[in-house]
Amino acid sequence: MALDSKKYSNVHNKTGTEKLALKQKYDDGHINTLLDLAEHEVNPEFGALLYQIQEMQDDITEVRRYLTQEVGDGAKGDTGATGPQGPQGIQGLRGAAGNDGAAGADGKDGGVYGNDLRILPTEFMSNDDSRALNFVVIEDDDKKSLGVRVTEADCEIYAMIPIPEGKAVSGVQVYASATLVTTISLVDYTSGSYQGVAIGNTNKAISVGKNPISSTSTNYVSISVVTTATNQLIYGAKLILL
């Protein structure tokens, strides 16, 4: 609440040199004359008056100390209540992109299961040895098995398979309904040049020899099977990897 209006009036109206003259009388100790009169019981009422004046002076001194030491002059007051939250600031600028994360692990090569690269029968195509245009077709008349066969007996069929990067081929196996001569060759896909590596039969693993065929940026494996009848089925094949 606000301060109430003052209730006192000035004790005197002296100013300037007249006020200084009053101060001089105080400095000269004339205030003690009132105290002497009170102590000698000449004017005891002066004693009571001086007591009240001193009490008021002590109160004023305490008020001054409180205002200057606890309220003003840099004195820290009690912490006020928390104010309301201010409005949300504008969105800051987007930070710089972070470093690239670590490379993920290599995924499995397509068709690879364990150490085998599976070759589906549809990978095989016929050559042009037949007197008529020859095809490799899917044979599904036998409800218990599925494979491919030639439409002309006097043919060879080929599957051309890349070697997965970082791998090597130690052997090949072709699965068929009959025992058929099978040849393994190494081919350069940039020129078509090739060289024979091994010869064997279907339904048995054919080793490429002491030196496995390592993958390069240009090589692949060719598998050729010599068919002798149109009812011979090829079920699939595999490269045996290291």
Side-chain angles (χ1 to χ4, degrees), residues 3 22 34 40 44 81 101 145 163 167 172 202 205 210 228 234:
L3 289 173
L22 291 177
L34 295 176
H40 292 90
S145 61
I163 307 169
K167 300 289 186 179
V172 175
T202 56
K210 295 181 179 180
T228 58
I234 303 298

Side-chain angles (χ1 to χ4, degrees), residues 156 158 172 180-185 196-201 206 221-226:
E156 297 173 20
Y158 289 79
V172 175
L180 304 172
V181 176
T182 302
T183 301
I184 311 302
S185 300
V197 175
I199 298 177
N201 293 316
I206 303 171
V221 172
S222 170
I223 306 170
S224 67
V225 180
V226 180

Side-chain angles (χ1 to χ4, degrees), residues 114-163:
N115 291 326
D116 295 337
L117 191 159
R118 294 169 293 183
I119 303 168
L120 301 183
T122 51
E123 295 289 335
F124 285 88
M125 295 182 64
S126 172
N127 69 356
D128 59 356
D129 285 352
S130 173
R131 290 184 298 273
L133 186 60
N134 185 42
F135 298 97
V136 174
V137 296
I138 296 174
E139 178 57 64
D140 62 350
D141 292 339
D142 185 352
K143 301 303 180 183
K144 294 182 180 180
S145 61
L146 194 64
V148 296
R149 65 174 180 84
V150 293
T151 57
E152 290 284 338
D154 190 18
C155 288
E156 297 173 20
I157 57 175
Y158 289 79
M160 301 173 181
I161 310 300
I163 307 169

